[in-house]
């Protein structure tokens, strides 16, 4: 093999990796938008019903995060088997809970800052909603990177346990041996 052939293969491989990440990022973005819409419906409904901002943002976070887990895990990362709790579900929950706490905290902080202002309930809800959505947008890239590099990719790259088949991090069935 000459240097040109090797260079073309390396370039093609790097291009494929970038395309793969861009594809996962795009799919994760779509699922995040869907989760955000569900969160928005819950948040606006709860705030309009005069719920506490901390409780409303926490419940809104759950309303989007739970379906987003199943949809993004399957569609964006192509994981279709039962998740392994320690290597996939727990790290996912930690990443998402951290971003959820930050969103809840920012919404609660915004509410506390708004209290001394003479603001109508409508504008209070608009500002709180902006803080909630803004925090989601800020955390999306960080969350995607952590999920892509640490949770789903790491679980897929772990070696299978002896005597088992399948991708690490997923449900494994015992390997069968053929008589030889």
């Amino acid at each position: 093999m000459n240097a040109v052939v090797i260079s073309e293969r390396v370039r093609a491989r790097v291009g494929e990796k970038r395309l793969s990440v861009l594809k996962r990022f795009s799919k994760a973005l779509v699922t995040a938008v869907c989760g955000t819409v569900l969160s928005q419906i819950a948040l606006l409904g709860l705030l309009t019903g005069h719920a506490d901002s901390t409780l409303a943002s926490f419940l809104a976070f759950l309303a989007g995060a739970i379906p987003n887990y199943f949809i993004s895990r399957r569609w964006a990362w192509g994981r279709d088997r039962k998740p392994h709790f320690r290597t996939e579900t727990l790290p996912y929950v930690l990443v998402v809970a951290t971003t959820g706490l930050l969103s809840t905290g920012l919404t609660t902080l915004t509410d506390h800052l708004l209290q001394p202002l003479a603001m109508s309930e409508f504008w209070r809800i608009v500002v709180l909603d902006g803080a909630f959505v803004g925090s989601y947008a800020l955390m999306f890239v960080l969350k995607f990177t952590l999920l892509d590099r640490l949770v789903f990719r790491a679980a897929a790259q772990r070696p299978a346990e002896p005597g088992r088949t399948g991708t690490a991090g997923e449900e494994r069935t015992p390997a069968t041996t053929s008589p030889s």
Side-chain angles (χ1 to χ4, degrees), residues 74-126:
R74 168 74 180 189
W75 189 48
W77 281 280
R79 310 291 285 196
D80 60 355
R81 294 191 180 182
K82 181 179 176 185
H84 187 273
F85 181 77
R86 192 183 90 248
T87 61
E88 187 176 305
T89 306
L90 184 60
Y92 180 89
V93 168
L94 291 173
V95 168
V96 173
T98 300
T99 60
L101 287 172
L102 291 169
S103 294
T104 300
L106 184 58
T107 307
T108 302
L109 175 64
T110 302
D111 192 34
H112 288 299
L113 294 173
L114 293 176
Q115 285 178 0
L117 303 176
M119 183 180 279
S120 72
E121 186 66 14
F122 172 80
W123 287 111
R124 177 183 160 272
I125 291 171
V126 168

Side-chain angles (χ1 to χ4, degrees), residues 6 31 39 57 72-73 82 92 94 99 109 115 119 135 152-153 161 166 174-175 177:
I6 293 172
T31 63
S39 292
S57 58
S72 66
R73 181 182 180 278
K82 181 179 176 185
Y92 180 89
L94 291 173
T99 60
L109 175 64
Q115 285 178 0
M119 183 180 279
S135 65
F152 294 115
R153 173 102 28 101
E161 296 171 10
T177 56

Side-chain angles (χ1 to χ4, degrees), residues 27 34 36 49 57 68 75 79 83 120 128 148 150 155-156 160 170:
K27 288 179 176 183
C34 292
T36 301
S57 58
N68 187 47
W75 189 48
R79 310 291 285 196
S120 72
L128 288 175
D148 192 56
L150 301 178
E170 296 176 347

